[in-house]
Amino acid sequence: MSAAARLDRARRYLDAPPPVTVPGQLAVKVEPTPRPCEDGNPQCRALPTRPYPCGPRCDDHQPANTRPYHQPRRSTP
């Protein structure tokens, strides 16, 4: 098969419309639901939250070492 014939075949393949459905895929677009704050007992359940290693937390329950105003304690000489 010559290079020109291969290019023509590839162009025909690429110009063909996609199949109506792709096997194994859902036709539904699923959006993730935001997870509420998991701090406390009973849980806070506030929204919006940010992801942390300890779980999603709202601004009021943000872990201490990630707060913007947190500075490590310095030892005195």
Side-chain angles (χ1 to χ4, degrees):
M1 183 184 284
S2 69
R6 279 185 281 172
L7 282 175
D8 287 339
R9 192 171 93 189
R11 285 187 183 118
R12 281 195 309 271
Y13 179 73
L14 291 173
D15 289 339
V20 177
T21 59
V22 177
Q25 289 187 345
L26 294 174
V28 178
K29 183 178 180 183
V30 178
E31 302 213 3
T33 57
R35 290 177 58 191
C37 180
E38 295 177 355
D39 187 70
N41 187 11
Q43 292 182 348
C44 171
R45 312 295 288 171
L47 288 171
T49 58
R50 294 188 185 120
Y52 293 101
C54 56
R57 298 289 188 260
C58 63
D59 287 339
D60 292 338
H61 298 116
Q62 185 179 12
N65 61 350
T66 60
R67 291 186 182 141
Y69 54 82
H70 173 75
Q71 293 180 355
R73 190 174 287 171
R74 297 181 186 206
S75 61
T76 57

